[in-house]
Amino acid sequence: MVACSTDLSTRADQLELAAHTTTSPLLYKGLLSADSDGATWRIIEAFSRTGVPFALDASWSAGSGSGANARITVCRSARVCVFARALELRAANLASVENRVGVTVADGYAVTENQWEEPGGPGQGEQDVVIPPFASRVRVDVADTTVLATTIVRLYDGLGTLRTRLPASSLGAGLLVGNAGRMTVQVPSNINWRSVFVLGL
């Protein structure tokens, strides 16, 4: 049997992202598209040459069909390890200035841990938060720490049954996501907040 080559067609690229505004949705642009004949462990290193945050959308497959997808919030740089034959990476700016971002891919294995941030704004009642792929834990931060105890996080299972109701002040390093099918956050009005998910990736 002849072994398939695991050499990627492309291993590095970069692009310039236009400044982002809070009134516009995230605009993802293609950062890298690469494939090979065989799958192996890949270490993806994504970084901002400008030194500001951005979002990374990563898709990969190890077989002949479609594979997994993940979104990662990159503060300045991040390392992600996946088992892949093909990679598709896109990036979106999270800063109010132009952002030059780059990526390199090497063959190898490393234990990595990343995060995804869902920003939240003032609102009434329970606000839904999208639970991202590979989420393992979540914490909720608020712009005014005096309302942490009255900011309520709820996790519902896949059947819609409420399983967890906790104040954000009790989450510590993060609440296990488990089999959550839905997550909501209830904050006092006129408070900005964010949900930060720890990814098992």
Side-chain angles (χ1 to χ4, degrees):
M1 179 181 290
V2 178
C4 295
S5 171
T6 58
D7 194 36
L8 282 174
S9 57
T10 305
R11 288 190 177 271
D13 212 337
Q14 57 185 327
L15 62 85
E16 192 83 32
L17 299 174
H20 176 64
T21 65
T22 56
T23 56
S24 60
L26 287 182
L27 177 62
Y28 283 89
K29 294 179 65 177
L31 176 58
L32 181 139
S33 181
D35 60 11
S36 66
D37 294 330
T40 190
W41 285 103
R42 317 279 187 185
I43 300 174
I44 302 165
E45 293 194 342
F47 51 89
S48 166
R49 294 193 179 279
T50 313
V52 293
F54 65 98
L56 180 70
D57 181 282
S59 300
W60 66 95
S61 63
S64 58
S66 60
N69 173 263
R71 286 193 171 176
I72 298 156
T73 300
V74 181
C75 181
R76 300 293 181 272
S77 58
R79 181 177 291 133
V80 188
C81 188
V82 297
F83 188 79
R85 178 190 62 79
L87 289 171
E88 194 77 33
L89 305 176
R90 301 185 305 147
N93 199 0
L94 295 175
S96 58
V97 297
E98 288 187 354
N99 194 355
R100 187 155 196 84
V101 301
V103 64
T104 60
V105 183
D107 293 345
Y109 177 80
V111 177
T112 60
E113 183 178 88
N114 289 283
Q115 60 187 352
W116 174 252
E117 177 180 327
E118 283 284 352
Q124 297 291 329
E126 292 183 67
Q127 299 183 54
D128 279 291
V129 176
V130 177
I131 300 172
F134 296 95
S136 59
R137 291 178 178 270
V138 63
R139 61 171 291 146
V140 174
D141 301 318
V142 293
D144 181 356
T145 56
T146 63
V147 300
L148 266 176
T150 55
T151 296
I152 304 301
V153 179
R154 294 179 176 88
L155 291 182
Y156 299 82
D157 66 17
L159 300 175
T161 303
L162 178 63
R163 295 294 180 181
T164 303
R165 180 190 183 280
L166 288 171
S169 57
S170 298
L171 300 187
L175 172 68
L176 287 169
V177 173
N179 74 336
R182 178 181 174 226
M183 172 181 166
T184 67
V185 176
Q186 184 173 357
V187 299
S189 59
N190 301 319
I191 299 295
N192 289 314
W193 53 279
R194 67 176 187 168
S195 298
V196 180
F197 292 88
V198 176
L199 307 179
L201 184 67

